[in-house]
Amino acid sequence: MLVVMQPNASSSEIDRVCEEITRQGFKPLPMPGEVRTAVGLLGDDAKVDWSYIEGLPGVASVLIVQKPYRQASREWKGDNTIVEIAPGVRFGGDEVPIVSGPCSVESEEQILTSARLVRAAGGTALRGGAFKPRSSPYAFQGLGKQGLELLALARRETGLAIVTEAMDERGADLVAEYADCIQIGARNMQNYSLLRYVGTLGKPVMLKRGMAATINDLLLSAEYVLAEGNPNVILCERGVRTFDSATRNLFDLTAIPVVHKLSHLPIVADPSHGTGLRDKVTPMARAAVAAGADGILVEMHPQPDKALSDGAQSLYPEQFAELVLQLRTIAQAIGRSVPTLT
C-alpha cells in the first residue's frame, strides 16, 4: 500500500500517517519527493484499515500496490531511482556510464593496464572478477582477496569506481570492504539469503538477471535487497538461455523498456555475456543504449587471446575505445550523455 500525501501536507500530518500505520502493526516508509511525500507500508496490506488512513488530514489518496514486488514497482515510486556508486558515477538519470574491464583479475599488470585503458577510452567504472563462479570446478576461480586488493589499487591509480561480484556472504563482506558496488551474478540471482545479506551492507548492488529468469523473477529478487532497507539496486540484463546455439545467450533488449515501465530501478545492459561473441558485443551495446539502458557493462581485456576466462567475448582495447565514441553519439541523439571522469 502507498499513501500519497497532498503537495502541501505538513510534517505533522505525515507523522500522523506514519503513527497510524505503526499502530496497525506495520512499518511505514516515508519517501519525500520534489512535490509531495508518499508513505509506503511494509507488510500484508490486506489487513490494513486503509479507509481510515485515507481520511487522515493531508492524505491525497491511498494506492493498493498489486504487483508481487512492491518497493521495486513503479506504483511504489513514480520517479526514477538514481543510484550513485561513487562520486560522478550515477545510474538512472540522463547519463549512461560505461563499466568495463576483464572478466577476471589475473595479475597486477593485467588489471592496472586494463584500468588505464578503460579510463583513457572514457569509462567511469572498472569491472573484474575476484571471485569467479565457473561451470567447471577445474576452471580458473579468481584470485579472491588478492584480486580485490588489486582492484582497490587500480581505483587508487585511475579513480575508476569498482564493480565486482560476491558469491557468498563471506565474500560479500570482503567485496563491500574493497569495492564500490557489489555485483550479484546470474547464478545467484535467486540466492535469497545472499540477497537479504547484501541488502544490509549499505553498498549499491548490481543484480544480474538469471539465465532462465523472467523479468518478474528479477524484480522479485531486487525486492529482497530493497526490503532490507537498501534502495540502491541496479538491475542488469545479461541474456537468457534458449534453444538457439547461434550465440551464448539470447540478449533480451526488450527487457530494458519493460523494466522501465514496471520499475523505477535503473537497468544496465551486459552485451558481453548476452551474446558471448566479440563481434556481437558492439552492435548489441549500441542497440542497448538506443533502447534506453542506464549503463553499459562490457568486457575488455588487454590481450583477449590470453585471457583466463571469457576471452572470446572480450573486446580488444581499440574496439572498446571505438565503442565508447559510438555510444556517445547514440546517447546524444536520444538526449542523454556518456559521462567521463574529471
Side-chain angles (χ1 to χ4, degrees):
M1 187 178 80
L2 192 66
V3 183
V4 181
M5 304 300 295
Q6 297 282 0
N8 60 350
S10 65
S11 58
S12 61
E13 289 172 336
I14 295 169
D15 291 341
R16 177 71 185 87
V17 169
C18 293
E19 290 168 3
E20 178 57 28
I21 291 174
T22 302
R23 188 190 69 78
Q24 292 194 33
F26 300 91
K27 180 181 178 180
L29 184 63
M31 295 175 287
E34 291 185 10
V35 177
R36 66 179 77 207
T37 293
V39 182
L41 180 147
L42 299 181
D44 183 4
D45 55 21
K47 302 176 182 179
V48 178
D49 184 359
W50 60 266
S51 60
Y52 178 78
I53 294 175
E54 193 170 31
L56 293 174
V59 173
S61 61
V62 175
L63 302 177
I64 306 301
V65 179
Q66 301 295 334
K67 300 287 191 301
Y69 45 88
R70 300 190 181 190
Q71 295 187 62
S73 73
R74 182 66 75 175
E75 289 91 343
W76 184 271
K77 182 182 178 185
D79 297 332
N80 291 338
T81 289
I82 297 177
V83 179
E84 186 171 37
I85 67 171
V89 186
R90 293 177 291 268
F91 299 85
D94 292 333
E95 296 179 336
V96 185
I98 298 176
V99 184
S100 186
C103 174
S104 57
V105 181
E106 300 167 0
S107 68
E108 178 176 331
E109 180 182 2
Q110 175 250 17
I111 197 61
L112 288 179
T113 300
S114 298
R116 295 182 192 115
L117 290 167
V118 171
R119 171 73 190 252
T124 53
L126 177 69
R127 60 145 294 140
F131 303 99
K132 294 302 301 178
R134 305 297 298 279
S135 298
S136 169
Y138 308 111
F140 177 63
Q141 304 288 316
L143 298 179
K145 183 178 179 181
Q146 181 188 359
L148 293 175
E149 292 170 345
L150 292 176
L151 287 169
L153 175 63
R155 178 176 53 201
R156 289 195 298 272
E157 179 166 316
T158 64
L160 295 170
I162 301 299
V163 179
T164 191
E165 183 173 354
M167 293 172 51
D168 52 34
E169 294 183 8
R170 198 182 93 176
D173 286 331
L174 285 170
V175 171
E177 179 182 350
Y178 286 94
D180 299 289
C181 181
I182 303 172
Q183 178 183 303
I184 301 298
R187 291 175 175 85
N188 273 316
M189 190 207 79
Q190 291 178 306
N191 184 341
Y192 300 128
S193 61
L194 178 59
L195 295 176
R196 286 189 185 278
Y197 188 75
V198 297
T200 68
L201 296 180
K203 284 279 187 175
V205 174
M206 182 176 289
L207 178 63
K208 286 197 163 189
R209 183 180 179 183
M211 290 177 279
T214 65
I215 292 175
N216 193 69
D217 293 334
L218 175 62
L219 292 173
L220 280 169
S221 291
E223 193 76 11
Y224 275 88
V225 181
L226 297 170
E228 295 301 319
N230 184 352
N232 296 312
V233 178
I234 305 163
L235 305 175
C236 180
E237 165 56 36
R238 49 81 67 209
V240 293
R241 283 190 174 170
T242 69
F243 56 85
D244 197 335
S245 60
T247 56
R248 179 177 179 182
N249 294 296
L250 175 66
F251 188 49
D252 185 6
L253 276 175
T254 58
I256 297 166
V258 169
V259 164
H260 281 156
K261 182 177 181 179
L262 296 175
S263 177
H264 54 88
L265 298 175
I267 178 168
V268 303
D270 176 358
S272 299
H273 288 91
T275 64
L277 298 169
R278 184 180 301 116
D279 64 334
K280 307 297 188 297
V281 172
T282 290
M284 288 299 96
R286 295 189 301 231
V289 171
D294 297 304
I296 296 295
L297 185 70
V298 63
E299 291 187 353
M300 182 278 300
H301 194 287
Q303 296 177 295
D305 53 324
K306 296 182 179 180
L308 298 182
S309 58
D310 284 353
Q313 67 189 34
S314 299
L315 297 180
Y316 286 92
E318 58 272 19
Q319 292 177 314
F320 174 67
E322 176 62 24
L323 173 61
V324 174
L325 294 176
Q326 294 173 2
L327 297 184
R328 288 191 194 286
T329 301
I330 296 169
Q332 185 176 11
I334 59 173
R336 303 182 81 179
S337 63
V338 173
T340 56
L341 294 178
T342 57

